[in-house]
Amino acid sequence: MIQAAIFDMDGTLIDSEPFWREAEKIVFAKLGINLTEEQCRSTTGLRIDLLVEHWDRIYPNHVTNITQTANDITNEVIRLVRLNGKPMAGVEQTIALFKNLGFKIAVASASPVNLIDAVVEKLGIGGQFSVLVSGQHAQYGKPHPEIYLTAAARLGVSATDCIAIEDSLNGIISAKAARMRVIAVPDAENFNRREFGVADVKLQSLEQVTQCLVDQLR
């Protein structure tokens, strides 16, 4: 029986993926790496240190400090979130639906703790979640299931009794590997990608999450 809902954050609760792409391009450009929009999209869902390591392998001898570069990108994203952050359509009503059903609710994000805190503060939804899980100190990032398994454990429920809400393929794979039901809400560019069919349900917006849909997943 489904007892909990676990939300990804970037691109699911907040429209922050454009902020990540902008921040990556700004920070990497200062290091002599000029990333395209398509290149930035290709790493959506990766934990920030893994993302920096990825581009460091492709463009060696530019990044002198992985941790500092990751922090610089995160700080730029935080600035943009505080300046322009907005919730994804349907966030508040979806959280309210799960609350009314008596679900425990968590965030499981690959993002650092300080960014998670900035987002829930900006959106005014921090009090809605029992647990906030960051991948910052996890041994493995998404698509490994560790972050989702940690969130379920901290909620005190079995991973098989959870619904995960995700926008990225890495996140979907992570949640499915944890044996959770998955509601995928990909952006328009990725909506028709065949790989997203691994999710249990694929929606265009969280506005389409209904009690009938949740009952079908239970």
Side-chain angles (χ1 to χ4, degrees):
M1 179 64 71
I2 301 297
Q3 304 178 55
I6 304 178
F7 288 82
D8 171 54
M9 187 181 74
D10 294 295
T12 302
L13 291 176
I14 185 170
D15 187 16
S16 54
E17 296 298 355
F19 300 158
W20 278 106
R21 295 193 292 272
E22 181 177 349
E24 289 163 33
K25 285 188 282 188
I26 289 171
V27 172
F28 279 115
K30 293 177 181 178
L31 299 174
I33 301 172
N34 295 304
L35 297 178
T36 66
E37 185 79 3
E38 183 178 355
Q39 284 177 308
C40 291
R41 285 181 179 275
S42 72
T43 56
T44 298
L46 276 184
R47 196 172 66 187
I48 184 60
D49 58 325
L50 301 179
L51 180 150
V52 175
E53 289 174 0
H54 169 79
W55 293 119
D56 184 47
R57 285 193 298 272
I58 294 175
Y59 300 102
N61 304 318
H62 287 78
V63 177
T64 57
N65 188 312
I66 297 289
T67 301
Q68 185 59 55
T69 301
N71 288 340
D72 289 345
I73 294 171
T74 300
N75 289 335
E76 179 64 16
V77 174
I78 290 172
R79 185 187 71 82
L80 293 169
V81 163
R82 288 174 173 160
L83 187 66
N84 297 313
K86 296 178 181 179
M88 300 295 290
V91 164
E92 292 182 0
Q93 70 185 49
T94 303
I95 291 173
L97 171 62
F98 287 131
K99 285 279 191 180
N100 290 336
L101 291 171
F103 282 21
K104 298 178 180 181
I105 306 179
V107 169
S109 172
S111 291
V113 173
N114 57 344
L115 177 54
I116 295 174
D117 289 343
V119 167
V120 297
E121 179 183 352
K122 176 67 176 181
L123 301 186
I125 57 175
Q128 301 295 327
F129 300 100
S130 303
V131 168
L132 301 174
V133 177
S134 165
Q136 182 175 4
H137 302 300
Q139 183 174 1
Y140 303 105
K142 298 176 184 179
H144 191 279
E146 179 181 356
I147 295 172
Y148 275 108
L149 293 172
T150 299
R154 288 178 58 184
L155 287 173
V157 300
S158 169
T160 57
D161 291 334
C162 298
I163 293 175
I165 302 91
E166 270 283 356
D167 73 302
S168 75
L169 184 58
N170 280 328
I172 292 167
I173 294 170
S174 173
K176 290 302 291 183
R179 298 186 299 156
M180 296 183 180
R181 313 286 205 286
V182 179
I183 296 174
V185 193
D187 63 18
E189 182 171 328
N190 289 302
F191 190 83
N192 292 319
R193 286 180 60 184
R194 182 179 301 176
E195 300 95 321
F196 280 78
V198 71
D200 296 275
V201 176
K202 185 173 67 170
L203 306 176
Q204 293 177 318
S205 165
L206 288 178
E207 294 172 303
Q208 296 175 297
V209 178
T210 63
Q211 183 169 343
C212 180
L213 174 66
V214 175
D215 288 342
Q216 291 174 1
L217 293 174
R218 299 173 85 174

